[in-house]
């Protein structure tokens, strides 16, 4: 049975590696998250959304996680992404959260906002929180995989879960960064409903066993 709780996170500048990782998780998950970094928001550069038109995603849905300056400028390019489910973007270099949300929704996709490790959760006000399909809390500094989970994120997840329970109970609450079976359990206990997981999964010698460990 495909899990809708775990979203493998793909962060690379290699389209071949994107395809390889998509192939690895077919049959285990319903969707993946693809990280897009422009070299300005963080000192790293990945593929662009338009590049994904050249990969085969099978039955997987794609969530795009934009770590870019003024991410509203990247939305149109996302039309090239096959099976696009959602666009999630970091708020730190986003001039208008409302404009971003409205623009994504105009295409019919789910919309999400993401909080970097040191960004307070109250940077997203109640009226904006009510409009989200996805709220993502980073438990590492954005930009790179293979970082250690930061326990400080748990309080932010807990606070976010409490706000969502009242304001937007159907919103998906993602934990992203340093996710392992142990840290995912902590995030779930704090209120997270989804996990974006990268390095721990891709470094596994047995993908099937890794998913079993994450789910039980």
């Amino acid at each position: 049975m495909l899990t809708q709780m775990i979203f493998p996170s793909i962060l690379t500048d290699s389209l071949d590696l994107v395809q390889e990782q998509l192939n690895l998780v077919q049959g285990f998950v319903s969707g993946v998250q693809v990280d897009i970094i422009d070299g300005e928001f963080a000192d790293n550069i990945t593929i662009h959304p338009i590049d994904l038109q050249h990969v085969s995603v099978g039955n997987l849905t794609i969530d795009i996680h934009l770590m870019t300056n003024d991410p509203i400028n990247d939305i149109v390019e996302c039309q090239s992404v096959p099976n696009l489910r959602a666009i999630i973007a970091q708020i730190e270099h986003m001039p208008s959260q409302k404009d971003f949300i409205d623009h994504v929704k105009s295409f019919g996709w789910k919309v999400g906002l993401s909080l970097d490790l040191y960004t307070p959760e109250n940077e997203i006000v109640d009226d904006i929180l009510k409009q989200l399909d996805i709220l993502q809390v980073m438990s590492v500094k954005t930009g790179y995989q293979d970082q250690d989970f930061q326990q400080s994120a748990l309080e932010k997840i807990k606070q976010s879960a409490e706000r969502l329970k009242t304001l937007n109970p159907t919103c998906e609450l993602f934990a992203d960064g340093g996710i392992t079976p142990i840290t995912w359990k902590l995030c779930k206990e704090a209120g997270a409903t989804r996990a974006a997981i990268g390095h721990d999964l891709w470094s596994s010698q047995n993908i099937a066993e890794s998913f079993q460990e994450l789910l039980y």
Side-chain angles (χ1 to χ4, degrees):
M1 183 176 179
L2 300 180
T3 175
Q4 298 181 350
M5 296 175 63
I6 306 299
F7 283 69
S9 177
I10 298 174
L11 191 162
T12 180
D13 62 356
S14 167
L15 205 57
D16 288 340
L17 183 58
V18 172
Q19 186 65 69
E20 178 184 330
Q21 292 181 337
L22 288 171
N23 293 343
L24 277 172
V25 299
Q26 292 281 354
F28 294 107
V29 294
S30 62
V32 302
Q33 186 178 114
V34 178
D35 293 332
I36 307 296
I37 310 174
D38 61 2
E40 297 180 8
F41 185 94
D43 187 20
N44 199 357
I45 297 177
T46 64
I47 61 167
H48 298 286
I50 199 168
D51 296 329
L52 292 170
Q53 66 183 310
H54 301 297
V55 300
S56 173
V57 302
N59 293 324
L60 295 168
T61 61
I62 305 293
D63 289 2
I64 294 293
H65 177 195
L66 295 173
M67 291 172 263
T68 60
N69 281 336
D70 201 357
I72 198 169
N73 296 324
D74 302 295
I75 293 171
V76 170
E77 188 176 321
C78 290
Q79 292 180 94
S80 302
V81 178
N83 289 6
L84 182 62
R85 185 186 83 107
I87 301 180
I88 307 162
Q90 293 299 133
I91 68 167
E92 290 75 24
H93 296 181
M94 182 185 291
S96 171
Q97 295 175 19
K98 184 180 187 308
D99 287 350
F100 176 82
I101 291 169
D102 290 345
H103 198 25
V104 173
K105 286 191 171 184
S106 73
F107 288 93
W109 304 315
K110 291 181 180 291
V111 63
L113 296 180
S114 183
L115 298 164
D116 206 352
L117 181 62
Y118 299 113
T119 302
E121 61 87 31
N122 61 10
E123 286 293 312
I124 300 176
V125 300
D126 288 355
D127 286 347
I128 292 294
L129 197 64
K130 292 175 182 178
Q131 300 176 52
L132 296 180
D133 300 298
I134 297 165
L135 176 62
Q136 181 163 276
V137 175
M138 299 300 299
S139 41
V140 299
K141 193 75 176 70
T142 57
Y144 294 89
Q145 291 187 343
D146 193 17
Q147 298 183 63
D148 291 334
F149 181 88
Q150 299 298 306
Q151 297 274 340
S152 60
L154 293 173
E155 182 59 30
K156 195 187 301 183
I157 292 171
K158 183 178 179 181
Q159 292 170 349
S160 298
E162 290 173 352
R163 291 180 68 199
L164 288 173
K165 185 176 181 180
T166 301
L167 298 171
N168 189 353
T170 62
C171 183
E172 301 170 25
L173 180 54
F174 270 76
D176 183 359
I179 301 298
T180 67
I182 293 172
T183 60
W184 173 223
K185 182 180 179 181
L186 295 174
C187 291
K188 284 191 292 184
E189 290 172 351
T193 61
R194 304 283 189 274
I197 177 169
H199 178 263
D200 191 72
L201 183 65
W202 305 128
S203 61
S204 171
Q205 298 300 309
N206 188 314
I207 291 288
E209 286 184 3
S210 294
F211 281 118
Q212 286 292 110
E213 291 174 1
L214 287 162
L215 293 172
Y216 298 104

